[in-house]
Amino acid sequence: MQSSEEYHKRIFSALEQADKEVYELITKEYERWQNTLQLIAAENQCSMGVLAALGSVMQNKTAEGYPGARLHGGCEVVDEAEKLAVARAKEAFGAKYVNVQPHAGTTANQIVLTALLQSGDKILSLGLHQGGHFSHGSNVSFAGKYFDVENYYVDRQTFLLDYDVIREQATKFQPKLIICGASAYARTIDFKKFREIADEAGAYLLADISHLSGLVIAGAHPSPVDRAHFTTTSTYKPGGPRGGLIIMGKDYDQRISVGTESMALWQLIEKTTFPGMQGTPYFNNIAAKAVFFKETLCTEYRDRQFKIVENARRLAESLVDLGYDVLTGGTDNYMILVNVANFREGLTGIVAQKCLEDCGIVINMSRLPYDKKGPMVTSGMRLGTPIVTKNGMGSEEMESISTLVDVVLRRVEIIGDTEYRIDESFKDETRGRIKELCSKFPMC
Ligand SMILES: *Cc1c(COP(=O)(O)O)cnc(C)c1O
């Protein structure tokens, strides 16, 4: 009999034999990742253990339902894997209930919304172009189609959430659900205040901590788990496999009436996940989540979350020193939002993204609150430090990164909103410098 180890070692050579094209694309992606600077805040880099679980035989199992209550046979092993993932995630977040089945962060939000709301019910959430996520009720997503959504905004001057204004809005609008959490907001979110506002308005509170969950696990950002009724997150942003989670704290067994039935909130989430919104969970993904949550329980992971924030603060500071307009003046998490239009006249987010990418620095443009430019142009860029920190970079490298970003953004010749020129020799030279910097911090 061949051992599991033998089998899995053959995976990569099997791919090379079966499909040279995809094998080469994977090799190219590895090289792109290794030889350029990864500063996209919405990305992270999982461990080899997580990758191995994703590429394992767990992927083959079909088993709808929950451990001990499946619709298919042969589930004794995947039941153990799911129970392990749940137990570790509960420990990581100090939670009463965790559902590890959602296929993505967006799906986790869809499940909570579908569980709680009837079509036409009211949601109050942060606007998409203010740092919110489209799954929070934007009219480009399913939620905007079925629910009555009103947005709150950040302050025009400070770019901070103003809880008094949100409170007033909630009192007037009387939403059934308030959503907090963001994709582009660099400061601490006060979940306690959000809960007070929700209680006053008679609303449920959903905290989407996709970008904060690693920091929350480590204690580097306050936890919403016992504040919000529901907490959701993607699992790749804190450094695990792709996928989503629904987490519940002290309100997990609060009763809710659904038609003529009464049930606990966690039961409603459970049945809305399956069979409400999904079929078979991805067991390779659930096994990978278990591996990831084991990692999060170690001090190495927890210490790193603080280091990620420290690096982000250093990078923000050094950009400010170079004359950049960093929104809110810095960051409390790993995200740095920069108004590039205020740095050089005519410079847009898309030109910054493209010319930096040409030179080996991978960031993304970001539509800023009250941005005059459209979503495909924008006036902003967003940088994040999880990956460079994972690969061992520290304060000195943050200085080098800001210098490199600055050299490129000063050098680029701006032709229009989306057009620019950058000379080839400068591009090659910068790429070379970045490759050399990255080679000292190999992917781990
Ligand atoms: C990234 C993000 C998501 C989406 O997660 P996916 O797994 O990519 O669907 C949801 N909410 C917020 C706030 C996010 O930043």
Side-chain angles (χ1 to χ4, degrees):
M1 185 195 116
Q2 96 183 322
S3 71
S4 161
E5 198 185 346
E6 284 164 338
Y7 177 85
H8 285 101
K9 271 190 181 156
R10 279 169 43 212
I11 292 176
F12 239 71
S13 51
L15 177 62
E16 190 178 6
Q17 279 157 22
D19 189 336
K20 196 85 184 152
E21 277 166 285
V22 171
Y23 178 84
E24 273 164 16
L25 288 174
I26 292 174
T27 307
K28 271 192 188 154
E29 175 60 3
Y30 171 83
E31 285 165 358
R32 182 192 71 83
W33 192 278
Q34 177 61 72
N35 295 329
T36 57
L37 266 174
Q38 308 309 322
L39 294 166
I40 291 185
E43 288 177 352
N44 209 325
Q45 180 182 300
C46 70
S47 67
M48 288 176 80
V50 168
L51 278 184
L54 285 172
S56 71
V57 293
M58 288 279 188
Q59 121 77 26
N60 293 331
K61 189 76 193 93
T62 298
E64 290 168 332
Y66 290 92
R70 305 279 192 195
L71 302 185
H72 302 81
C75 292
E76 66 273 21
V77 180
V78 291
D79 278 8
E80 287 311 308
E82 184 165 345
K83 284 195 272 187
L84 204 53
V86 168
R88 288 172 178 171
K90 277 167 78 174
E91 191 181 343
F93 286 102
K96 294 283 203 306
Y97 173 83
V98 172
N99 195 311
V100 296
Q101 294 195 1
H103 299 328
T106 298
T107 315
N109 288 338
Q110 286 173 355
I111 291 166
V112 175
L113 268 53
T114 307
L116 282 181
L117 307 176
Q118 301 302 315
S119 133
D121 278 350
K122 294 188 212 170
I123 300 175
L124 180 64
S125 65
L126 181 63
L128 179 62
H129 301 307
Q130 294 265 316
H133 190 260
F134 59 83
S135 61
H136 296 182
S138 150
N139 54 16
V140 299
S141 90
F142 83 103
K145 203 165 163 182
Y146 298 116
F147 308 119
D148 178 8
V149 184
E150 194 169 293
N151 289 140
Y152 54 87
Y153 299 91
V154 295
D155 184 84
R156 208 173 252 283
Q157 256 80 47
T158 62
F159 299 109
L160 297 173
L161 292 168
D162 183 333
Y163 296 92
D164 294 333
V165 175
I166 300 169
R167 173 177 281 117
E168 248 174 64
Q169 216 177 337
T171 310
K172 246 190 240 150
F173 185 55
Q174 291 287 299
K176 186 156 180 200
L177 177 67
I178 296 177
I179 308 178
C180 60
S183 295
Y185 188 72
R187 293 301 181 174
T188 301
I189 295 176
D190 192 335
F191 298 118
K192 183 166 177 271
K193 280 217 180 105
F194 264 112
R195 179 57 187 262
E196 285 164 15
I197 293 169
D199 283 345
E200 279 170 36
Y204 287 106
L205 180 65
L206 164 61
D208 176 352
I209 55 166
S210 284
H211 274 286
L212 300 173
S213 48
L215 309 186
V216 165
I217 289 171
H221 188 287
S223 170
V225 169
D226 282 322
R227 305 279 187 206
H229 298 85
F230 311 91
T231 298
T232 52
T233 181
S234 60
T235 44
Y236 62 91
K237 282 179 190 143
R242 275 181 194 272
L245 282 189
I246 303 171
I247 307 155
M248 299 172 80
K250 68 174 175 39
D251 292 312
Y252 82 113
D253 59 356
Q254 206 183 92
R255 308 297 294 181
I256 183 167
S257 301
V258 184
T260 53
E261 267 184 276
S262 159
M263 66 184 76
L265 286 178
W266 72 267
Q267 288 172 310
L268 179 60
I269 289 299
E270 193 133 300
K271 77 186 195 89
T272 310
T273 305
F274 173 83
M277 296 285 288
Q278 295 191 163
T280 295
Y282 302 164
F283 286 105
N284 54 334
N285 180 272
I286 286 178
K289 283 171 178 165
V291 174
F292 168 62
F293 283 112
K294 181 170 181 194
E295 293 166 6
T296 68
L297 299 173
C298 302
T299 40
E300 197 273 322
Y301 180 87
R302 288 164 186 245
D303 292 348
R304 193 194 328 136
Q305 306 312 302
F306 287 92
K307 186 78 196 164
I308 287 171
V309 178
E310 196 185 309
N311 276 344
R313 288 204 160 125
R314 188 75 216 97
L315 183 55
E317 236 170 64
S318 107
L319 286 167
V320 169
D321 290 345
L322 289 164
Y324 288 85
D325 178 7
V326 173
L327 261 66
T328 77
T331 183
D332 295 332
N333 51 49
Y334 57 58
M335 217 183 268
I336 301 153
L337 296 158
V338 182
N339 185 324
V340 294
N342 284 351
F343 178 67
R344 268 186 72 182
E345 203 183 318
L347 185 59
T348 60
I350 186 65
V351 165
Q353 176 184 313
K354 280 189 177 168
C355 71
L356 287 168
E357 182 170 340
D358 289 344
C359 295
I361 303 172
V362 186
I363 60 119
N364 66 284
M365 64 174 164
S366 187
R367 198 163 185 210
L368 304 174
Y370 310 104
D371 204 325
K372 292 186 192 79
K373 301 285 182 192
M376 300 308 285
V377 177
T378 84
S379 303
M381 64 176 184
R382 184 180 65 164
L383 285 73
T385 51
I387 298 167
V388 289
T389 310
K390 171 107 202 271
N391 290 336
M393 292 192 189
S395 153
E396 197 182 312
E397 288 72 34
M398 296 307 114
E399 298 280 337
S400 315
I401 290 172
S402 63
T403 307
L404 286 159
V405 166
D406 183 55
V407 168
V408 177
L409 294 185
R410 279 179 202 275
R411 180 71 171 241
V412 63
E413 189 189 330
I414 303 162
I415 298 171
D417 270 2
T418 56
E419 279 169 84
Y420 64 99
R421 231 186 329 254
I422 195 149
D423 63 81
E424 289 297 319
S425 61
F426 171 80
K427 202 169 89 177
D428 292 344
E429 185 207 315
T430 315
R431 273 196 164 265
R433 283 172 70 185
I434 287 177
K435 193 169 170 182
E436 196 192 311
L437 173 64
C438 293
S439 72
K440 292 186 211 141
F441 300 92
M443 269 177 87
C444 59

